[in-house]
Coordinates of all heavy atoms in Angstrom, one line a residue:
M297 N -95.2 -37.5 -24.3 CA -96.0 -36.8 -25.2 C -95.5 -35.4 -25.5 O -95.6 -35.0 -26.6 CB -97.5 -36.8 -24.8 CG -98.4 -36.5 -25.8 SD -98.4 -37.7 -27.1 CE -99.9 -37.4 -27.9
A298 N -95.0 -34.8 -24.5 CA -94.5 -33.4 -24.7 C -93.3 -33.4 -25.7 O -93.1 -32.5 -26.5 CB -94.0 -32.8 -23.4
R299 N -92.5 -34.5 -25.6 CA -91.3 -34.6 -26.5 C -91.7 -34.7 -27.9 O -91.1 -34.2 -28.8 CB -90.5 -35.8 -26.1 CG -89.1 -35.9 -26.8 CD -88.3 -37.0 -26.3 NE -87.9 -36.7 -24.9 CZ -87.4 -37.6 -24.1 NH1 -87.2 -38.8 -24.5 NH2 -87.1 -37.3 -22.8
M300 N -92.9 -35.3 -28.2 CA -93.4 -35.4 -29.6 C -93.7 -34.0 -30.2 O -93.5 -33.8 -31.3 CB -94.6 -36.3 -29.6 CG -95.0 -36.8 -30.9 SD -93.7 -37.9 -31.5 CE -93.6 -37.4 -33.2
F301 N -94.2 -33.1 -29.3 CA -94.5 -31.8 -29.8 C -93.2 -31.0 -30.2 O -93.1 -30.3 -31.1 CB -95.3 -31.0 -28.8 CG -96.8 -31.2 -29.0 CD1 -97.4 -32.2 -28.3 CD2 -97.5 -30.4 -29.8 CE1 -98.8 -32.4 -28.5 CE2 -98.9 -30.6 -30.0 CZ -99.5 -31.6 -29.3
R302 N -92.1 -31.3 -29.4 CA -90.8 -30.7 -29.8 C -90.3 -31.3 -31.1 O -89.6 -30.6 -31.9 CB -89.8 -31.0 -28.6 CG -90.1 -30.0 -27.5 CD -89.2 -30.3 -26.3 NE -90.0 -30.9 -25.3 CZ -89.5 -31.5 -24.2 NH1 -88.2 -31.6 -24.0 NH2 -90.3 -32.0 -23.3
V303 N -90.5 -32.6 -31.3 CA -90.1 -33.2 -32.6 C -90.9 -32.6 -33.7 O -90.4 -32.3 -34.8 CB -90.4 -34.8 -32.5 CG1 -90.2 -35.4 -33.9 CG2 -89.4 -35.4 -31.5
L304 N -92.2 -32.4 -33.5 CA -93.0 -31.7 -34.6 C -92.5 -30.3 -34.8 O -92.4 -29.8 -35.9 CB -94.5 -31.6 -34.1 CG -95.3 -32.9 -34.2 CD1 -96.6 -32.7 -33.5 CD2 -95.5 -33.3 -35.7
G305 N -92.1 -29.6 -33.7 CA -91.5 -28.3 -33.9 C -90.2 -28.3 -34.7 O -90.0 -27.4 -35.5
F306 N -89.4 -29.3 -34.5 CA -88.1 -29.5 -35.2 C -88.4 -29.7 -36.7 O -87.8 -29.0 -37.6 CB -87.3 -30.7 -34.7 CG -86.2 -31.0 -35.6 CD1 -85.0 -30.3 -35.7 CD2 -86.3 -32.1 -36.5 CE1 -84.0 -30.6 -36.5 CE2 -85.2 -32.5 -37.3 CZ -84.1 -31.7 -37.3
W307 N -89.4 -30.5 -37.1 CA -89.7 -30.8 -38.5 C -90.4 -29.6 -39.1 O -90.1 -29.3 -40.3 CB -90.5 -32.1 -38.6 CG -89.6 -33.3 -38.4 CD1 -89.7 -34.2 -37.4 CD2 -88.5 -33.7 -39.2 NE1 -88.7 -35.1 -37.5 CE2 -88.0 -34.8 -38.6 CE3 -87.9 -33.2 -40.4 CZ2 -86.9 -35.5 -39.2 CZ3 -86.8 -33.8 -40.9 CH2 -86.3 -35.0 -40.3
T308 N -91.2 -28.9 -38.4 CA -91.8 -27.7 -39.0 C -90.7 -26.6 -39.2 O -90.8 -25.9 -40.2 CB -93.0 -27.2 -38.2 OG1 -92.5 -26.9 -36.9 CG2 -94.2 -28.1 -38.2
L309 N -89.7 -26.6 -38.4 CA -88.6 -25.6 -38.5 C -87.9 -26.0 -39.8 O -87.5 -25.1 -40.6 CB -87.7 -25.6 -37.3 CG -86.5 -24.8 -37.4 CD1 -86.9 -23.3 -37.5 CD2 -85.6 -25.0 -36.3
V310 N -87.6 -27.3 -40.0 CA -86.9 -27.7 -41.2 C -87.6 -27.4 -42.5 O -87.1 -26.8 -43.4 CB -86.6 -29.2 -41.1 CG1 -86.1 -29.8 -42.4 CG2 -85.6 -29.5 -40.0
I311 N -88.9 -27.6 -42.5 CA -89.8 -27.3 -43.6 C -89.8 -25.8 -43.8 O -89.7 -25.3 -45.0 CB -91.2 -27.9 -43.4 CG1 -91.1 -29.4 -43.5 CG2 -92.1 -27.4 -44.5 CD1 -92.4 -30.1 -43.1
G312 N -89.9 -25.0 -42.8 CA -89.9 -23.6 -42.9 C -88.6 -23.0 -43.5 O -88.6 -22.1 -44.3
L313 N -87.5 -23.6 -43.0 CA -86.2 -23.2 -43.6 C -86.1 -23.5 -45.1 O -85.6 -22.7 -45.9 CB -85.1 -23.8 -42.8 CG -84.9 -23.2 -41.4 CD1 -83.8 -24.0 -40.6 CD2 -84.5 -21.8 -41.4
M314 N -86.6 -24.7 -45.5 CA -86.5 -25.1 -46.9 C -87.4 -24.2 -47.7 O -87.1 -23.8 -48.8 CB -86.9 -26.5 -47.1 CG -85.9 -27.5 -46.6 SD -86.2 -29.2 -47.0 CE -87.6 -29.6 -46.1
A315 N -88.6 -23.8 -47.2 CA -89.5 -22.9 -47.9 C -88.9 -21.5 -48.0 O -89.0 -20.9 -49.0 CB -90.8 -22.8 -47.1
F316 N -88.2 -21.1 -46.9 CA -87.5 -19.8 -47.0 C -86.4 -19.7 -48.0 O -86.2 -18.8 -48.7 CB -87.0 -19.4 -45.6 CG -86.5 -18.0 -45.4 CD1 -87.4 -17.0 -45.4 CD2 -85.1 -17.8 -45.4 CE1 -86.9 -15.7 -45.3 CE2 -84.7 -16.5 -45.2 CZ -85.6 -15.4 -45.2
A317 N -85.7 -20.8 -48.1 CA -84.6 -20.9 -49.1 C -85.2 -21.0 -50.5 O -84.5 -20.6 -51.4 CB -83.7 -22.2 -48.8
G318 N -86.4 -21.5 -50.6 CA -87.0 -21.6 -52.0 C -87.9 -20.4 -52.3 O -88.6 -20.4 -53.2
D319 N -87.7 -19.3 -51.6 CA -88.4 -18.0 -51.8 C -89.9 -18.1 -51.6 O -90.7 -17.4 -52.3 CB -88.1 -17.4 -53.2 CG -86.7 -17.0 -53.3 OD1 -86.1 -16.6 -52.2 OD2 -86.1 -17.0 -54.4
L320 N -90.4 -19.1 -50.8 CA -91.8 -19.2 -50.5 C -92.0 -18.6 -49.1 O -92.2 -19.3 -48.1 CB -92.2 -20.7 -50.5 CG -92.0 -21.4 -51.8 CD1 -92.2 -22.9 -51.6 CD2 -92.9 -20.9 -52.8
F321 N -92.0 -17.3 -49.0 CA -92.0 -16.5 -47.8 C -93.3 -16.7 -46.9 O -93.2 -16.9 -45.7 CB -91.8 -15.1 -48.0 CG -90.4 -14.8 -48.6 CD1 -90.3 -14.2 -49.9 CD2 -89.2 -15.2 -48.0 CE1 -89.1 -14.0 -50.5 CE2 -88.0 -15.0 -48.6 CZ -87.9 -14.4 -49.8
E322 N -94.5 -16.8 -47.6 CA -95.7 -17.0 -46.8 C -95.7 -18.3 -46.2 O -96.1 -18.5 -45.0 CB -96.9 -16.8 -47.8 CG -97.1 -15.4 -48.2 CD -96.3 -15.1 -49.5 OE1 -95.7 -16.0 -50.0 OE2 -96.4 -13.9 -50.0
M323 N -95.3 -19.4 -47.0 CA -95.3 -20.7 -46.4 C -94.2 -20.8 -45.3 O -94.5 -21.4 -44.2 CB -94.9 -21.7 -47.5 CG -94.8 -23.1 -47.1 SD -94.4 -24.2 -48.5 CE -93.9 -25.7 -47.6
A324 N -93.1 -20.1 -45.5 CA -92.1 -20.2 -44.4 C -92.6 -19.5 -43.1 O -92.3 -20.1 -42.1 CB -90.8 -19.4 -44.9
L325 N -93.3 -18.4 -43.2 CA -93.8 -17.7 -42.0 C -94.8 -18.6 -41.4 O -94.9 -18.7 -40.1 CB -94.4 -16.4 -42.4 CG -93.4 -15.3 -42.8 CD1 -94.2 -14.0 -43.2 CD2 -92.5 -15.0 -41.6
L326 N -95.7 -19.3 -42.1 CA -96.7 -20.2 -41.6 C -96.0 -21.3 -40.8 O -96.4 -21.6 -39.6 CB -97.5 -20.8 -42.6 CG -98.6 -21.8 -42.2 CD1 -99.6 -21.2 -41.3 CD2 -99.2 -22.5 -43.4
F327 N -94.9 -21.9 -41.3 CA -94.2 -23.0 -40.6 C -93.4 -22.5 -39.5 O -93.2 -23.2 -38.5 CB -93.4 -23.8 -41.6 CG -94.2 -24.9 -42.3 CD1 -94.9 -24.6 -43.5 CD2 -94.3 -26.1 -41.8 CE1 -95.7 -25.5 -44.1 CE2 -95.1 -27.1 -42.4 CZ -95.8 -26.8 -43.6
F328 N -92.9 -21.3 -39.5 CA -92.2 -20.7 -38.4 C -93.1 -20.5 -37.2 O -92.8 -20.7 -36.1 CB -91.4 -19.5 -38.8 CG -90.2 -19.7 -39.7 CD1 -89.9 -18.7 -40.6 CD2 -89.5 -20.8 -39.7 CE1 -88.8 -18.8 -41.4 CE2 -88.4 -21.0 -40.5 CZ -88.1 -20.0 -41.4
F329 N -94.3 -20.0 -37.5 CA -95.3 -19.8 -36.5 C -95.7 -21.2 -35.9 O -95.8 -21.3 -34.6 CB -96.6 -19.2 -37.1 CG -97.7 -19.1 -36.1 CD1 -97.7 -18.2 -35.1 CD2 -98.8 -19.9 -36.3 CE1 -98.8 -18.1 -34.2 CE2 -99.9 -19.9 -35.4 CZ -99.8 -19.0 -34.3
Q330 N -95.9 -22.2 -36.7 CA -96.2 -23.6 -36.2 C -95.0 -24.1 -35.3 O -95.3 -24.7 -34.3 CB -96.5 -24.5 -37.3 CG -97.7 -24.3 -38.0 CD -98.0 -25.3 -39.1 OE1 -97.7 -26.5 -38.9 NE2 -98.5 -24.8 -40.2
T331 N -93.8 -23.8 -35.7 CA -92.7 -24.2 -34.9 C -92.7 -23.6 -33.5 O -92.5 -24.3 -32.5 CB -91.4 -23.8 -35.6 OG1 -91.3 -24.4 -36.9 CG2 -90.1 -24.2 -34.8
A332 N -93.0 -22.3 -33.5 CA -93.0 -21.6 -32.2 C -94.1 -22.2 -31.3 O -93.9 -22.4 -30.1 CB -93.3 -20.1 -32.4
V333 N -95.3 -22.5 -31.9 CA -96.4 -23.0 -31.1 C -96.1 -24.4 -30.6 O -96.3 -24.8 -29.4 CB -97.7 -23.1 -31.9 CG1 -98.8 -23.9 -31.3 CG2 -98.2 -21.6 -32.2
F334 N -95.5 -25.3 -31.5 CA -95.1 -26.6 -31.1 C -94.1 -26.6 -30.0 O -94.2 -27.4 -29.0 CB -94.7 -27.5 -32.2 CG -95.8 -27.9 -33.1 CD1 -95.6 -28.0 -34.5 CD2 -97.0 -28.3 -32.6 CE1 -96.6 -28.4 -35.3 CE2 -98.0 -28.7 -33.4 CZ -97.8 -28.8 -34.8
F335 N -93.1 -25.8 -30.1 CA -92.1 -25.7 -29.0 C -92.7 -25.2 -27.7 O -92.3 -25.7 -26.6 CB -90.9 -24.9 -29.4 CG -89.8 -25.6 -30.3 CD1 -89.4 -25.1 -31.5 CD2 -89.3 -26.8 -29.8 CE1 -88.5 -25.8 -32.2 CE2 -88.4 -27.5 -30.6 CZ -88.0 -27.0 -31.8
L336 N -93.5 -24.3 -27.8 CA -94.2 -23.8 -26.6 C -95.0 -24.9 -25.9 O -94.9 -25.1 -24.7 CB -95.1 -22.6 -26.9 CG -95.9 -22.0 -25.8 CD1 -95.1 -21.3 -24.8 CD2 -97.0 -21.1 -26.3
L337 N -95.8 -25.6 -26.7 CA -96.6 -26.7 -26.2 C -95.7 -27.8 -25.6 O -96.1 -28.4 -24.6 CB -97.5 -27.2 -27.3 CG -98.7 -26.4 -27.6 CD1 -99.5 -27.0 -28.8 CD2 -99.7 -26.3 -26.4
G338 N -94.6 -28.0 -26.2 CA -93.7 -29.1 -25.8 C -93.1 -28.8 -24.4 O -92.7 -29.8 -23.7
Y339 N -93.0 -27.6 -24.0 CA -92.4 -27.3 -22.7 C -93.5 -26.9 -21.6 O -93.1 -26.5 -20.5 CB -91.4 -26.1 -22.9 CG -90.1 -26.6 -23.5 CD1 -89.8 -26.3 -24.8 CD2 -89.2 -27.4 -22.8 CE1 -88.7 -26.8 -25.4 CE2 -88.1 -27.9 -23.4 CZ -87.8 -27.6 -24.7 OH -86.7 -28.0 -25.3
L340 N -94.7 -27.0 -21.9 CA -95.8 -26.7 -21.0 C -96.1 -27.8 -19.9 O -96.7 -27.5 -18.9 CB -97.1 -26.3 -21.7 CG -97.1 -24.9 -22.3 CD1 -98.4 -24.7 -23.0 CD2 -96.9 -23.8 -21.3
N341 N -95.6 -29.0 -20.2 CA -95.9 -30.1 -19.3 C -97.3 -30.3 -19.0 O -97.7 -30.4 -17.8 CB -95.0 -30.0 -18.0 CG -93.6 -30.1 -18.3 OD1 -93.2 -30.8 -19.2 ND2 -92.8 -29.4 -17.6
L342 N -98.2 -30.4 -20.0 CA -99.6 -30.6 -19.8 C -99.8 -32.1 -19.7 O -98.9 -33.0 -19.8 CB -100.3 -30.1 -21.1 CG -100.1 -28.6 -21.4 CD1 -100.8 -28.3 -22.7 CD2 -100.7 -27.8 -20.2
T343 N -101.1 -32.5 -19.4 CA -101.4 -33.9 -19.3 C -101.5 -34.5 -20.7 O -101.6 -33.8 -21.7 CB -102.8 -34.1 -18.6 OG1 -103.8 -33.5 -19.4 CG2 -102.8 -33.5 -17.2
E344 N -101.4 -35.8 -20.7 CA -101.4 -36.5 -22.0 C -102.7 -36.3 -22.7 O -102.8 -36.2 -24.0 CB -101.1 -38.0 -21.8 CG -101.0 -38.8 -23.1 CD -100.5 -40.2 -22.9 OE1 -100.1 -40.5 -21.8 OE2 -100.6 -40.9 -23.9
R345 N -103.8 -36.3 -22.0 CA -105.1 -36.1 -22.6 C -105.2 -34.7 -23.3 O -105.7 -34.5 -24.4 CB -106.2 -36.2 -21.5 CG -107.6 -35.9 -22.0 CD -108.6 -36.0 -20.9 NE -109.9 -35.5 -21.3 CZ -110.9 -36.3 -21.9 NH1 -110.6 -37.6 -22.0 NH2 -112.0 -35.7 -22.2
T346 N -104.6 -33.7 -22.6 CA -104.6 -32.3 -23.2 C -103.8 -32.3 -24.4 O -104.1 -31.6 -25.4 CB -104.1 -31.3 -22.1 OG1 -104.8 -31.5 -20.9 CG2 -104.1 -29.9 -22.7
Y347 N -102.6 -33.0 -24.4 CA -101.8 -33.0 -25.6 C -102.5 -33.7 -26.8 O -102.4 -33.2 -27.9 CB -100.5 -33.7 -25.4 CG -99.4 -32.9 -24.7 CD1 -98.9 -33.3 -23.5 CD2 -99.0 -31.7 -25.2 CE1 -97.9 -32.5 -22.8 CE2 -98.1 -30.9 -24.6 CZ -97.5 -31.3 -23.4 OH -96.6 -30.5 -22.8
M348 N -103.2 -34.8 -26.5 CA -104.0 -35.5 -27.6 C -105.1 -34.6 -28.1 O -105.3 -34.5 -29.3 CB -104.6 -36.8 -27.0 CG -103.5 -37.8 -26.8 SD -102.5 -38.2 -28.2 CE -103.8 -39.1 -29.2
L349 N -105.9 -33.9 -27.2 CA -106.9 -33.0 -27.7 C -106.4 -31.8 -28.5 O -106.9 -31.4 -29.5 CB -107.7 -32.5 -26.5 CG -108.6 -33.6 -25.8 CD1 -109.2 -33.0 -24.6 CD2 -109.7 -34.1 -26.8
T350 N -105.2 -31.3 -28.1 CA -104.6 -30.2 -28.8 C -104.2 -30.7 -30.2 O -104.3 -30.0 -31.2 CB -103.4 -29.7 -28.0 OG1 -103.8 -29.3 -26.7 CG2 -102.8 -28.5 -28.7
F351 N -103.6 -31.9 -30.3 CA -103.1 -32.4 -31.5 C -104.3 -32.6 -32.5 O -104.3 -32.3 -33.7 CB -102.3 -33.7 -31.4 CG -101.8 -34.2 -32.6 CD1 -100.8 -33.6 -33.3 CD2 -102.4 -35.4 -33.2 CE1 -100.3 -34.1 -34.5 CE2 -101.9 -35.9 -34.4 CZ -100.9 -35.2 -35.0
W352 N -105.4 -33.2 -32.0 CA -106.6 -33.4 -32.8 C -107.2 -32.1 -33.3 O -107.6 -32.0 -34.4 CB -107.6 -34.3 -32.1 CG -107.3 -35.7 -32.2 CD1 -106.7 -36.5 -31.2 CD2 -107.4 -36.5 -33.4 NE1 -106.5 -37.8 -31.7 CE2 -106.9 -37.8 -33.0 CE3 -107.9 -36.3 -34.7 CZ2 -106.9 -38.9 -33.9 CZ3 -107.9 -37.4 -35.6 CH2 -107.4 -38.6 -35.2
A353 N -107.2 -31.1 -32.4 CA -107.7 -29.8 -32.8 C -106.8 -29.2 -33.9 O -107.3 -28.6 -34.9 CB -107.8 -28.8 -31.6
Y354 N -105.5 -29.4 -33.8 CA -104.6 -28.9 -34.8 C -104.8 -29.6 -36.1 O -104.8 -29.0 -37.2 CB -103.1 -29.1 -34.3 CG -102.1 -29.0 -35.4 CD1 -101.8 -27.7 -35.9 CD2 -101.5 -30.1 -36.0 CE1 -100.9 -27.6 -36.9 CE2 -100.6 -29.9 -37.0 CZ -100.3 -28.7 -37.5 OH -99.4 -28.6 -38.5
M355 N -105.0 -30.9 -36.1 CA -105.3 -31.7 -37.3 C -106.6 -31.2 -38.0 O -106.6 -31.1 -39.2 CB -105.3 -33.2 -37.0 CG -104.0 -33.7 -36.6 SD -102.6 -33.5 -37.7 CE -103.1 -34.5 -39.0
V356 N -107.6 -31.1 -37.2 CA -108.9 -30.6 -37.8 C -108.8 -29.3 -38.5 O -109.2 -29.1 -39.6 CB -110.0 -30.6 -36.7 CG1 -111.2 -29.9 -37.2 CG2 -110.4 -32.1 -36.3
L357 N -108.1 -28.3 -37.8 CA -107.9 -27.0 -38.3 C -107.1 -27.0 -39.6 O -107.4 -26.3 -40.6 CB -107.3 -26.1 -37.3 CG -108.3 -25.6 -36.2 CD1 -107.5 -24.7 -35.2 CD2 -109.4 -24.8 -36.8
S358 N -106.0 -27.8 -39.6 CA -105.1 -27.8 -40.7 C -105.8 -28.5 -41.9 O -105.7 -28.0 -43.1 CB -103.8 -28.5 -40.4 OG -104.1 -29.9 -40.1
F359 N -106.6 -29.5 -41.7 CA -107.3 -30.2 -42.8 C -108.4 -29.3 -43.4 O -108.6 -29.2 -44.6 CB -107.9 -31.5 -42.4 CG -106.8 -32.6 -42.3 CD1 -106.8 -33.5 -41.3 CD2 -105.8 -32.7 -43.3 CE1 -105.9 -34.5 -41.2 CE2 -104.8 -33.7 -43.2 CZ -104.9 -34.6 -42.1
L360 N -109.1 -28.6 -42.5 CA -110.1 -27.6 -42.9 C -109.5 -26.5 -43.7 O -110.0 -26.1 -44.8 CB -110.9 -27.1 -41.8 CG -112.0 -28.1 -41.2 CD1 -112.6 -27.4 -39.9 CD2 -113.0 -28.4 -42.2
G361 N -108.4 -26.0 -43.2 CA -107.7 -24.9 -43.9 C -107.2 -25.3 -45.3 O -107.3 -24.6 -46.3
F362 N -106.6 -26.5 -45.3 CA -106.1 -27.1 -46.6 C -107.2 -27.3 -47.6 O -107.1 -26.9 -48.8 CB -105.4 -28.4 -46.4 CG -104.9 -29.0 -47.6 CD1 -103.7 -28.5 -48.2 CD2 -105.5 -30.1 -48.2 CE1 -103.2 -29.1 -49.4 CE2 -105.0 -30.7 -49.3 CZ -103.9 -30.2 -49.9
T363 N -108.4 -27.8 -47.1 CA -109.5 -28.1 -48.0 C -110.1 -26.7 -48.5 O -110.4 -26.6 -49.7 CB -110.6 -28.9 -47.3 OG1 -110.0 -30.1 -46.8 CG2 -111.8 -29.2 -48.2
Y364 N -110.2 -25.8 -47.6 CA -110.7 -24.5 -48.1 C -109.8 -23.9 -49.1 O -110.2 -23.4 -50.2 CB -110.8 -23.5 -46.9 CG -111.1 -22.1 -47.3 CD1 -112.4 -21.7 -47.6 CD2 -110.0 -21.2 -47.4 CE1 -112.6 -20.4 -48.0 CE2 -110.3 -19.9 -47.8 CZ -111.6 -19.5 -48.1 OH -111.8 -18.2 -48.5
W365 N -108.5 -23.9 -48.9 CA -107.5 -23.3 -49.8 C -107.6 -24.0 -51.2 O -107.6 -23.3 -52.2 CB -106.1 -23.4 -49.2 CG -105.1 -22.7 -50.1 CD1 -104.3 -23.2 -51.0 CD2 -104.9 -21.3 -50.1 NE1 -103.6 -22.2 -51.6 CE2 -103.9 -21.0 -51.1 CE3 -105.4 -20.2 -49.4 CZ2 -103.4 -19.8 -51.4 CZ3 -105.0 -18.9 -49.7 CH2 -104.0 -18.7 -50.7
T366 N -107.6 -25.3 -51.2 CA -107.6 -26.0 -52.5 C -108.9 -25.9 -53.3 O -108.8 -25.8 -54.5 CB -107.3 -27.5 -52.3 OG1 -108.2 -28.1 -51.4 CG2 -105.9 -27.7 -51.7
I367 N -110.0 -25.7 -52.6 CA -111.3 -25.6 -53.3 C -111.6 -24.2 -53.7 O -111.9 -23.9 -54.8 CB -112.4 -26.2 -52.5 CG1 -112.2 -27.7 -52.4 CG2 -113.8 -25.9 -53.1 CD1 -113.2 -28.4 -51.5
F368 N -111.5 -23.2 -52.7 CA -111.9 -21.9 -53.0 C -110.8 -20.9 -53.4 O -111.1 -19.9 -54.2 CB -112.6 -21.3 -51.7 CG -113.8 -22.1 -51.4 CD1 -113.9 -22.8 -50.2 CD2 -115.0 -22.0 -52.2 CE1 -115.0 -23.5 -49.9 CE2 -116.1 -22.7 -51.8 CZ -116.1 -23.5 -50.7
E369 N -109.6 -21.1 -53.0 CA -108.6 -20.1 -53.4 C -107.8 -20.6 -54.7 O -107.5 -19.7 -55.5 CB -107.5 -20.0 -52.3 CG -108.1 -19.4 -51.0 CD -108.6 -18.0 -51.2 OE1 -108.0 -17.2 -52.0 OE2 -109.6 -17.6 -50.5
M370 N -107.6 -21.9 -54.8 CA -106.9 -22.4 -56.0 C -107.9 -22.5 -57.2 O -107.5 -22.3 -58.4 CB -106.2 -23.7 -55.8 CG -105.1 -23.6 -54.9 SD -104.3 -25.2 -54.5 CE -103.7 -25.7 -56.1
G371 N -109.1 -22.8 -56.9 CA -110.1 -23.0 -58.0 C -110.1 -24.4 -58.6 O -109.0 -25.0 -58.5
I372 N -111.1 -24.8 -59.1 CA -111.2 -26.1 -59.8 C -111.1 -25.9 -61.3 O -111.9 -25.1 -61.9 CB -112.5 -26.8 -59.4 CG1 -112.6 -27.0 -57.9 CG2 -112.7 -28.1 -60.1 CD1 -114.0 -27.5 -57.4
P373 N -110.1 -26.5 -61.9 CA -110.0 -26.3 -63.4 C -111.2 -26.9 -64.1 O -111.6 -28.0 -63.7 CB -108.7 -27.0 -63.7 CG -108.4 -27.9 -62.6 CD -109.1 -27.3 -61.4
V374 N -111.6 -26.2 -65.1 CA -112.8 -26.7 -65.9 C -112.4 -27.2 -67.2 O -111.5 -26.7 -67.9 CB -113.8 -25.6 -66.0 CG1 -115.0 -26.1 -66.8 CG2 -114.2 -25.0 -64.7

């Protein structure tokens, strides 16, 4: 399970580099931060249950953040 967090770190690094190349600096910084967190979690050698709970907490936070951003920050076209 720890290896999966390192894989997630690799893909968030790739996405962050592409965002940086496309002049999307805020998005790049967000993905670089996620990369650091995923790599850190990947090397902590936690239990599988802890990794699963951490991943679910990450998914809930990311979906809530995405929903908030799309509804309140982007606005709904009328």
